[in-house]
Amino acid sequence: MKKITHLHTVLIGLVFLLVSFTGRAQQVNAGVDSTAFKIGEQITYWLTAEADTSKVVVFPESQTFLPLEMVTSLKPDTTFSGRTYKIQKPYKLTQFDSGKYTIPPQKVIIGNQKFQTDSIQVLVNSVKVDTTKQEMFPIKTSVAINPPSSFPWWILWVLLGLGILVVLVLFLLKRKKIIEEKKRKLPPYEYAIKALSQLDTNNTLEKGDIKTYYSVLTEAVKRYIDEKIDDSALESTTSELITSLKAQKEQNKLLITDEVLAELEAILKRADLAKFAAVFSDRITAKEDRSRTEKHIEALRDAIPPPTPEELAQDLVYQEALQQKRKKRRKLIITISVIAVVVLGSLTYLGVSGVNFVKQKFLGTSTKELLQTNWISSTYGFPGVSLTTPEVLIRQGMEDAQEVIKQNASTSIESFSSGEIQHNLYVMVNTISSAEQLEIDLSKTVDGVYAFMEQQGAENIMVKDENFTTNSGIEGIRITGSFNILNPLTKKTMKKAYQILNFGEKGGFEQVIVIYNDNDEAADEIASRIVNSVDFKNDN
């Protein structure tokens, strides 16, 4: 015989299943009025519990009888005997497919204790139909039905996201335009000379527009002074501006003669009279004022002393600080852009897919929905493992086990699962079969549990192993415990419970894994139903 020592590590690395198992007690019994009935007929299933009169008995009220369907939950019948009482709870069950079925064990709570009944097998017989006596009718044609109208709310999310993106693009374009305008802006001296030159080419004086002529002239000289000497020049009156220039001359910040200042003051005053009092000079005086203004601008440019080393150093520090400020602003714009794109993408994804789809994508279907859905009974792998689950298990690739298969050419490994380890429910079935008889120590398969869980991001792993027996008497090992893992949606730690069943049936190795949220009653009930449904197909 060939001995397998490391296959359990590969199999445990394939899946997780969560199962909760409760003990049985003699205080609770179950029974049916008939173990054989026809399709669509109803049988009476009852649960009987004996308890102290001080304790409350709670019977199941949900669809816990699958594959049979509960039609009605009837009122219980209670009889008292001294300090104890006996309560019988009847249910009406049915099934619409023929075959042999097993009513799973039911959970009954007495006080603070949980008890579990035995399973019951029933036979559902088909109904023979005599088509020679039964009148047959043709199949009716299909009728088109207009689907109910519903407003596509996801369009609003998309429009909102597009609106945010449009605002961001407009902001960036406007900022780019401002930056380009600053780059295209002429230096102060060139701008002033160009403005004066335009007075010669556009014939403003020849047209008799003296007011506009002097407005352009004074703006040219004042703008130059505003940008190079005194940043309040544009808002200052003529007297205020000349006073400021004289003060800077006295402080040796402006190396200019009194004659230039006097001529500049006279020109500005004549301009004020032309602009505000409609007192016009003759054209010859206006042309002379234009020529003198250009010379005075050149004199002002030459009057600015070169910066001292201290001023250069301060300017360098200022420029560096300005550069850092610009970098921070660019980073802020980039960050806002990235956030806007992410928000837009998220809103669009949520709008198109829906919130429920996203939650299911990351966390799976809720346990309450799984509990109420139509469960599926199927057999997986070889040797065949039969069990009932809320979702069908999908065959998984065995890339991780290829090395094992190469070394053991006669070995076959199969794996089936549904959900993810971070979802509300994760179920997996693994089987190993070989042409030769395998000798597997089931008690050692616990060793690979830690490694797999840690690879999946599990922390604080608790492990306990014990003997386990299926309803049909097959013996194996059950591994139970809990662990912590990161929730992919909230980024917070969540606690998971798990059960792993290991069997060495028919010369092979079979494993069933269930993983679910801890302290979840619906998940606990789901796990119990899955574990209690585990059996082995009678293959030849």
Side-chain angles (χ1 to χ4, degrees):
M1 293 189 297
K2 186 180 295 184
K3 187 173 183 179
I4 304 299
T5 59
H6 58 284
L7 286 178
H8 63 278
T9 303
V10 176
L11 288 176
I12 292 174
L14 294 175
V15 201
F16 273 99
L17 280 182
L18 287 165
V19 177
S20 171
F21 185 77
T22 54
R24 298 176 182 172
Q26 296 179 354
Q27 292 176 280
V28 176
N29 295 299
V32 292
D33 61 351
S34 176
T35 58
F37 60 99
K38 294 180 180 179
I39 291 176
E41 288 185 343
Q42 298 180 11
I43 62 171
T44 302
Y45 174 93
W46 64 81
L47 293 172
T48 304
E50 296 181 6
D52 189 274
T53 54
S54 62
K55 295 182 179 180
V56 177
V57 178
V58 179
F59 293 102
E61 291 296 340
S62 58
Q63 290 285 0
T64 60
F65 305 96
L66 296 176
L68 267 68
E69 180 180 348
M70 183 183 74
V71 180
T72 308
S73 175
L74 303 174
K75 292 184 179 180
D77 181 23
T78 306
T79 57
F80 292 89
S81 177
R83 300 183 62 180
T84 63
Y85 71 105
K86 181 178 181 181
I87 182 170
Q88 188 176 75
K89 172 70 174 177
Y91 303 86
K92 289 293 185 179
L93 308 181
T94 189
Q95 173 57 250
F96 296 96
D97 289 322
S98 61
K100 292 182 179 180
Y101 296 94
T102 300
I103 302 176
Q106 299 299 306
K107 182 173 64 177
V108 179
I109 301 176
I110 301 178
N112 295 325
Q113 290 184 303
K114 295 179 181 180
F115 299 90
Q116 192 159 287
T117 66
D118 293 329
S119 60
I120 299 177
Q121 290 188 344
V122 294
L123 175 64
V124 181
N125 297 314
S126 59
V127 178
K128 294 182 179 180
V129 179
D130 189 352
T131 57
T132 61
K133 298 180 180 180
Q134 176 66 41
E135 185 178 0
M136 305 301 290
F137 300 93
I139 300 174
K140 292 184 179 181
T141 58
S142 59
V143 178
I145 299 177
N146 295 326
S149 60
S150 60
F151 184 78
W153 291 101
W154 63 269
I155 294 179
L156 294 180
W157 290 105
V158 174
L159 293 177
L160 177 62
L162 291 176
I164 295 174
L165 185 60
V166 168
V167 171
L168 179 63
V169 171
L170 291 177
F171 171 77
L172 294 176
L173 291 176
K174 184 176 180 181
R175 178 169 177 78
K176 182 181 179 182
K177 183 179 180 181
I178 293 173
I179 294 174
E180 290 177 349
E181 287 179 353
K182 287 183 177 180
K183 291 180 178 179
R184 291 195 299 266
K185 187 177 180 181
L186 292 173
Y189 176 76
E190 284 78 0
Y191 177 83
I193 300 302
K194 183 178 180 180
L196 294 175
S197 299
Q198 287 178 349
L199 287 177
D200 301 332
T201 58
N202 57 18
N203 299 321
T204 303
L205 188 60
E206 285 71 13
K207 295 176 182 178
D209 193 356
I210 302 296
K211 184 177 180 179
T212 301
Y213 187 88
Y214 272 103
S215 296
V216 175
L217 189 146
T218 54
E219 183 183 2
V221 67
K222 278 190 173 184
R223 185 173 294 277
Y224 177 80
I225 296 173
D226 185 86
E227 296 187 9
K228 299 298 293 183
I229 301 173
D230 184 359
D231 57 5
S232 63
L234 289 173
E235 293 81 17
S236 301
T237 62
T238 298
S239 59
E240 290 173 344
L241 179 59
I242 297 301
T243 301
S244 175
L245 294 177
K246 288 180 179 179
Q248 295 196 46
K249 177 181 180 299
E250 292 175 358
Q251 298 173 8
N252 294 324
K253 293 182 179 180
L254 192 64
L255 307 177
I256 196 169
T257 64
D258 293 335
E259 181 183 359
V260 172
L261 289 176
E263 289 183 359
L264 180 60
E265 182 178 9
I267 294 172
L268 293 176
K269 286 182 176 180
R270 280 194 293 273
D272 291 340
L273 291 173
K275 291 187 294 182
F276 306 115
V279 178
F280 303 127
S281 303
D282 58 87
R283 294 184 179 181
I284 296 175
T285 303
K287 286 186 176 182
E288 290 177 354
D289 288 342
R290 179 252 182 264
S291 300
R292 292 192 191 99
T293 299
E294 183 174 349
K295 292 180 180 179
H296 295 337
I297 291 174
E298 292 177 356
L300 288 170
R301 181 187 63 177
D302 298 336
I304 301 173
T308 63
E310 292 78 9
E311 292 174 338
L312 289 174
Q314 291 179 358
D315 185 66
L316 181 60
V317 172
Y318 172 77
Q319 293 297 331
E320 289 179 352
L322 187 62
Q323 186 69 16
Q324 292 295 327
K325 186 177 181 180
R326 289 172 180 169
K327 287 182 178 179
K328 289 182 180 179
R329 188 178 300 169
R330 283 197 296 268
K331 288 181 180 179
L332 179 61
I333 293 174
I334 293 173
T335 302
I336 294 175
S337 302
V338 172
I339 293 175
V341 171
V342 172
V343 170
L344 174 61
S346 301
L347 291 176
T348 304
Y349 184 71
L350 282 172
V352 175
S353 303
V355 178
N356 292 332
F357 174 81
V358 176
K359 288 177 63 178
Q360 183 172 347
K361 177 75 174 177
F362 290 96
L363 298 179
T365 308
S366 68
T367 52
K368 290 184 178 180
E369 292 175 340
L370 290 173
L371 192 60
Q372 297 174 0
T373 189
N374 293 325
W375 283 43
I376 300 166
S377 298
S378 187
T379 302
Y380 302 93
F382 183 82
V385 180
S386 299
L387 72 161
T388 303
T389 57
E391 295 178 344
V392 67
L393 307 187
I394 306 300
R395 182 183 296 273
Q396 303 299 314
M398 297 297 298
E399 293 80 3
D400 295 336
Q402 291 304 315
E403 188 63 29
V404 175
I405 297 174
K406 290 179 181 179
Q407 297 177 4
N408 301 269
S410 60
T411 301
S412 173
I413 304 178
E414 294 182 277
S415 179
F416 308 82
S417 69
S418 68
E420 301 290 342
I421 188 172
Q422 295 88 356
H423 287 183
N424 295 319
L425 179 67
Y426 178 64
V427 180
M428 176 170 264
V429 173
N430 302 305
T431 62
I432 300 177
S433 61
S434 178
E436 302 181 25
Q437 190 76 7
L438 300 177
E439 182 182 340
I440 299 176
D441 188 351
L442 296 180
S443 62
K444 292 184 179 180
T445 57
V446 184
D447 300 339
V449 175
Y450 286 107
F452 171 68
M453 290 184 176
E454 288 175 352
Q455 289 175 0
Q456 300 298 315
E459 298 177 345
N460 301 325
I461 304 171
M462 304 297 293
V463 175
K464 176 184 177 182
D465 64 290
E466 59 186 0
N467 294 328
F468 177 81
T469 304
T470 66
N471 293 327
S472 59
I474 304 300
E475 295 182 352
I477 297 292
R478 180 172 64 173
I479 308 164
T480 61
S482 63
F483 60 87
N484 295 331
I485 196 168
L486 191 67
N487 187 313
L489 208 57
T490 63
K491 303 302 180 183
K492 294 182 179 180
T493 301
M494 56 182 176
K495 190 173 183 180
K496 291 284 187 178
Y498 68 89
Q499 272 203 33
I500 302 176
L501 305 181
N502 292 333
F503 301 93
E505 179 67 8
K506 301 178 182 177
F509 175 74
E510 303 82 24
Q511 182 180 68
V512 178
I513 304 174
V514 182
I515 300 177
Y516 63 97
N517 297 331
D518 197 21
N519 298 321
D520 185 338
E521 292 185 3
D524 180 79
E525 187 172 345
I526 290 173
S528 297
R529 289 174 61 180
I530 294 174
V531 170
N532 290 318
S533 70
V534 173
D535 209 336
F536 294 90
K537 187 175 180 181
N538 187 21
D539 296 318
N540 293 325

